[in-house]
Amino acid sequence: AVALRDVTKRYGAHLALSGVSVDLPVGSVCGLIGPNGAGKSTMMAIVATLLRPTSGHVEVMGVPISDVLTVRRNVGYVPDVLGTYSGLTVEEYLHFFADAYRLDPETRPAVIDGLLELVDLTDKRHADLNTLSRGMKQRIGLARGLVHEPSLLVLDEPASGLDPRARIELRDIITHLNGLGVTILISSHILGELEEMCTHAAVLEQGVLVGFEQLGEEPQRTVLVRFADGEPETHAVADDAEQVELVRRLVAEGRAVLSVEVVATRLEERFMRLTEGRTN
């Protein structure tokens, strides 16, 4: 879906990306992770044709990003900060972008109805954009990015500032879209949530790709079990059910379990192993 070859981006003397090469498979959900300043947003903006790399080659669905119009027909881009316009309702906002993408006026209302239903904002269609909560604005931004039915969706920190319920709803929408065949590139600092929905993870640090890994079918976490009468122990579990079974087994063995704490998920452990905490 996305192919980067030796991509470098400089802002004057500042090196934002340095020789990044990676292939993102069609139909995958790839988590792009790294410290602040690692180059994640720069890489996403290049894929979305909003920035030109200083050097290197990038293709989206087999099309070089120099063919801007063709690539943009295939890409839906949702930035970390959504630009909204005063005086527009939710429905008018989506009609504006549908017009920008030259959607057929006859089919446009049905497309917008479907998007509002997908992001659960049908009852807000006549509300002023600036009266919406941050979570609702994130969802309308997602609808905006999908208005032209792209094959690749690029999401830059979509869960930033969202409450737990809004994050869960966003995750469900992303999983649903991927089930429909949309390839997704998503950045986030919430690694546990990324692991639950991502098939691949790319790790950036100081503009360098330090790791690209395929994730397993099931997320895995490391838990620290403390006992009232002994030394703490660490155990690897796949999910909540396995964690509950672990506690049951320990109690059945007569162990005095005092607490169980998630230390790290598998993705978090890989991230800590691959990075050193350096920032640009």
Side-chain angles (χ1 to χ4, degrees), residues 261-272:
E261 174 188 356
V262 177
V263 179
T265 65
R266 181 171 52 195
L267 184 56
E268 288 169 336
E269 290 175 341
R270 291 178 181 180
F271 176 72
M272 294 303 293

Side-chain angles (χ1 to χ4, degrees), residues 1-2 47-49 59-65 67-77 101 145-146 148-154 181-184:
V2 179
V47 170
T49 73
E59 291 185 358
V60 176
M61 299 299 173
V63 179
I65 60 169
D67 187 351
V68 173
L69 290 180
T70 302
V71 170
R72 288 185 180 179
R73 291 191 191 102
N74 285 314
V75 177
Y77 175 66
Y101 280 105
L146 292 167
H148 57 303
E149 298 184 347
S151 51
L152 171 68
L153 186 61
V154 179
V182 180
T183 304
I184 298 169

Side-chain angles (χ1 to χ4, degrees), residues 101-266:
Y101 280 105
R102 297 184 174 87
L103 265 65
D104 186 340
E106 292 186 5
T107 61
R108 189 183 304 172
V111 170
I112 290 173
D113 287 346
L115 289 172
L116 289 173
E117 184 177 352
L118 174 68
V119 298
D120 195 24
L121 286 176
T122 300
D123 61 336
K124 295 289 185 180
R125 67 189 312 140
H126 300 304
D128 188 294
L129 276 171
N130 288 328
T131 67
L132 301 182
S133 67
R134 180 175 175 84
M136 290 179 182
K137 286 182 178 179
Q138 291 290 79
R139 280 187 276 159
I140 202 63
L142 188 58
R144 184 197 71 180
L146 292 167
V147 74
H148 57 303
E149 298 184 347
S151 51
L152 171 68
L153 186 61
V154 179
L155 304 172
D156 193 354
E157 295 284 351
S160 175
L162 299 187
D163 61 48
R165 174 177 290 277
R167 289 206 305 269
I168 292 170
E169 291 171 348
L170 179 65
R171 186 181 64 210
D172 290 344
I173 292 171
I174 291 169
T175 302
H176 174 71
L177 290 170
N178 183 240
L180 296 176
V182 180
T183 304
I184 298 169
L185 177 62
I186 176 172
S187 69
S188 177
H189 291 297
I190 309 170
L191 302 190
E193 291 188 357
L194 279 184
E195 186 168 7
E196 291 181 3
M197 58 183 168
C198 289
T199 60
H200 297 74
V203 184
L204 284 174
E205 185 172 41
Q206 283 192 315
V208 177
L209 184 72
V210 295
F212 180 71
E213 302 187 35
Q214 183 169 349
L215 304 178
E217 289 293 325
E218 294 292 338
Q220 184 174 343
R221 68 188 74 162
T222 300
V223 295
L224 178 68
V225 183
R226 290 189 173 88
F227 301 94
D229 54 1
E231 293 296 316
E233 299 175 0
T234 58
H235 295 264
V237 296
D239 51 26
D240 287 345
E242 198 167 308
Q243 185 171 322
V244 169
E245 187 55 37
L246 169 66
V247 175
R248 271 203 197 103
R249 178 173 57 80
L250 292 172
V251 172
E253 292 172 356
R255 309 288 299 278
V257 176
L258 188 62
S259 67
V260 180
E261 174 188 356
V262 177
V263 179
T265 65
R266 181 171 52 195

Side-chain angles (χ1 to χ4, degrees), residues 34-98:
N36 290 328
K40 303 186 296 298
S41 293
T42 295
M43 177 173 158
M44 289 183 149
I46 288 173
V47 170
T49 73
L50 300 177
L51 286 176
R52 292 181 181 177
T54 304
S55 61
H57 182 73
V58 182
E59 291 185 358
V60 176
M61 299 299 173
V63 179
I65 60 169
S66 56
D67 187 351
V68 173
L69 290 180
T70 302
V71 170
R72 288 185 180 179
R73 291 191 191 102
N74 285 314
V75 177
Y77 175 66
V78 182
D80 56 342
V81 178
L82 176 66
T84 57
Y85 309 126
S86 298
L88 283 184
T89 66
V90 167
E91 188 174 36
E92 289 168 341
Y93 182 76
L94 292 179
H95 271 288
F96 175 83
F97 282 96

